[in-house]
Amino acid sequence: MAELKELTPRSVDYSQWYQDLVIKADMAENSAVRGCMVIKPYGYAIWEKMQAELDRMFKETGHQNAYFPLFIPKSFLSKEAAHVEGFAKECAVVTHYRLKADSEGKGVVVDPAAKLEEELIVRPTSETIIWSTYKNWIQSYRDLPLLINQWANVVRWEMRTRLFLRTAEFLWQEGHTAHATESEALAETKQMLEVYASFAENFMAMPVVKGVKSPNERFAGAVETFCIEGLMQDGKALQAGTSHFLGQNFAKAFDVTFATKEGNRDYVWATSWGVSTRLIGALIMCHSDDNGLVLPPKLAPYQVVIVPIYRSEEQLAQIDGKVAEIVRKLRALGVSVKYDNNDNKKPGWKFAEYELKGVPVRLALGARDLDNGTIEIARRDTLTKETRSIENIEAYVKALLDEIQDNIYQKAFNFRTSVTRTVDSYEEFKVEIEKGGFLLAHWDGTPETEELIKAETKATIRCIPLEGDKTPGKCMVTGKPSAQRVYFARAY
Amino acid sequence: MAELKELTPRSVDYSQWYQDLVIKADMAENSAVRGCMVIKPYGYAIWEKMQAELDRMFKETGHQNAYFPLFIPKSFLSKEAAHVEGFAKECAVVTHYRLKADSEGKGVVVDPAAKLEEELIVRPTSETIIWSTYKNWIQSYRDLPLLINQWANVVRWEMRTRLFLRTAEFLWQEGHTAHATESEALAETKQMLEVYASFAENFMAMPVVKGVKSPNERFAGAVETFCIEGLMQDGKALQAGTSHFLGQNFAKAFDVTFATKEGNRDYVWATSWGVSTRLIGALIMCHSDDNGLVLPPKLAPYQVVIVPIYRSEEQLAQIDGKVAEIVRKLRALGVSVKYDNNDNKKPGWKFAEYELKGVPVRLALGARDLDNGTIEIARRDTLTKETRSIENIEAYVKALLDEIQDNIYQKAFNFRTSVTRTVDSYEEFKVEIEKGGFLLAHWDGTPETEELIKAETKATIRCIPLEGDKTPGKCMVTGKPSAQRVYFARAY
Ligand SMILES: [Zn+2]
Ligand SMILES: [Zn+2]
């Protein structure tokens, strides 16, 4: 591996390993604007893959895309009390709409004459602007349900940022739906949780726990927040997606009522749900190794790379011909493939580069292979390679990609299983939490106990799981009754 | 047609017709934020179609997508003198990053303690933030060309806004490329102009004139601006896309140099190019009529709608069965189709609704059709209908969609031809410009003459065309030499 590409090993400094990897694999970098990242083409290509799959899943469940304004009038944000409380501390605020030449001739300054009557907030999330709009769209039960999603950028002025995981600006999708009944809105909330879980497991190859947030961790303005939680290789949890049941909170804040079938008027029921470019951070931390990215084939910008090994132009021309055939056959099977016959780089450099970039399968073809009718296949997930007959190689590669997708998932699943433990006493909890992973423990359901645990151990309740053991017990801290065990972890 | 859906006729008030159409066809509406629009699902679906085709064309010409920050430090905007001059007057400026509870208990106020050291501008376009980033990406000729596109929202604080055509926030794509030589950058600029022209003509069915902007109309910071200009039904021109040759202006402003093959250092050559949601406005104004939208099949959210005509549940069940077969066959041919068997609306209401929404082909199937083996087909573009054998109807529809696409283009082309005239005297010009359309006239090449014409007639030079008659002549105003005729029009 080329020296320049070397990463800090995970065992030495996991956090530095992550930072090295994001930079060296050309995924993203910090910009000149504090806390805002530049998503580079390779990182953005993964986001495009994620978007395509999620968008298809949203449309299959009846949602349509739309677009709402970037700006939110300050007074809108204030209408739902818990909501403004949750977001006010991290808002980018637009106060003026014009610059003018500096009177001292030094560039431009804000024109004080162009002050907005009411400040505009750069959206941290769009519930308020959307519900102020829905008021005009919803008159009767015939206008419901309203099932809308938006792909957008949002801004939350975070003080401590990390590429993909926590940035001042990020890209996301936010679904905002309106329903005639509580039960329908709850069903939608849970449906979208299932969509997220299915995406995480089947595309990202990341097992997730589905659950409900404790009141402390609830979305500002929600009645109930559902979430999926992944576990990273360093034993820390990561919230990968949330789906909120908003009750009638936003309908009441914006006075959105509808004529029911029975001829009454009632407030509309709401949900909202989102995932963001944070998923790219989760993808990296869930699977990658000290050599670089490990990407699940279903989200890899290209699934296969082919590298020619040659000593002469003549050999290269022969290899080019053979590869063209393989590329055509792979593409016919729906496999994305890149052929790198760039003459400026040596095969060893290319091998390291594509390992760093996590390309799932690497094929190498040399002059001797042409003679023997063979080809070398390397797997990124296991770092193993073998030489095989070139006959029908495309079908073999296609099947191998499925196997890699499964293997990556299974590896992450096994890891998570190995670090998920049940603990019964707070003493044990304090020892075990230092080792990372998920701890399943009883909790009395109060914010006070949750806060105490957090203050003393830095662990938070990741969720009250929807599935698994529901046996009641006693809180490990207070001894008070507990309805079921909940997931604790330190988290991103 | 249902009364509620009626539009102001074009002949009565073209501008009101446009406004009515955008609102009643559920394309977009004004939001609570001055100048910002809400793009509704039907309008957004057209944008998604546009994006998909353009994105494919960009990738086929070697470009990759990436994402750069929403915010631009004020000092960056100032680095290129013409650029800041062009954009300073319409900038949304972020000055603070936090709100706090009002001391009088009335909502929230901007926290004066959270004032940014340097104000951030919400990007009106991204040359400055991108070239400040490219400085770190480009060291040598081996790093070039850099071919990047971004799909994003931008903000220009326009005082007079119109849905899609001119809004404070709009969605667009902006390509930003970096090259080792002037000729390569110029070739890229022209290539992207051709991509835009091809998209306009082959997908939007809108004929366009390709040309170069006069210095007065050039992009702020460009050496040369190329553009495509469409002609709307009211005789006004609309700039539909621009491709800028930026020379070394931004490389010099941000000190971006590279090691040449010959071992020297040189400033990098740049291009940028963009189209926006304005294209939706152009699409509407180019083809639609007093009954509503007319959409080219290649950009219609659905190309075919099927409406059942029935008197009983039993009849509907029979029709449902037959339609399911047609839908399957149409989809197998790649035709998008919606079956509207909603029982709450009458066929006449549906006919008017899909006419308003510009669905290219409408099929209607009744009980008698089932007996006769027939189906009714209506074309949106000609408003004609016919009853045909249902046998092999899907192939007929598929071919009809191609014919409609061609017909819409041809109609727009013929209209443009009919209102494009050559004029030789300024007196004639002043008379003719009142009738609308393009006027080809000689101009002496000076900004002074252009400004005089604009002040006296409200007509601007749309472009100096790349194709067509290049015979020199004498300026219609000053009599000075003119290199070739240029396109004049009043414009959006
Ligand atoms: Zn959770
Ligand atoms: Zn032009």
Side-chain angles (χ1 to χ4, degrees), chain B residues 209-214 225-229 239 241 461-464 487:
Chain B
V209 175
K210 292 177 287 190
V212 178
K213 282 286 181 201
S214 63
T225 287
F226 294 79
C227 66
I228 53 170
E229 296 280 323
Q239 175 180 301
I461 296 175
R462 300 318 303 156
C463 65
I464 304 153
Y487 276 84

Side-chain angles (χ1 to χ4, degrees), chain A residues 46-59:
Chain A
I46 294 172
W47 181 238
E48 287 181 302
K49 291 263 170 192
M50 290 180 164
Q51 283 187 297
E53 296 302 339
L54 287 164
D55 198 67
R56 178 185 54 72
M57 293 167 100
F58 299 158
K59 283 174 177 158

Side-chain angles (χ1 to χ4, degrees), chain B residues 455-470:
Chain B
E456 292 188 349
T457 69
K458 296 184 193 140
T460 50
I461 296 175
R462 300 318 303 156
C463 65
I464 304 153
L466 299 179
E467 292 158 2
D469 182 11
K470 301 267 179 136

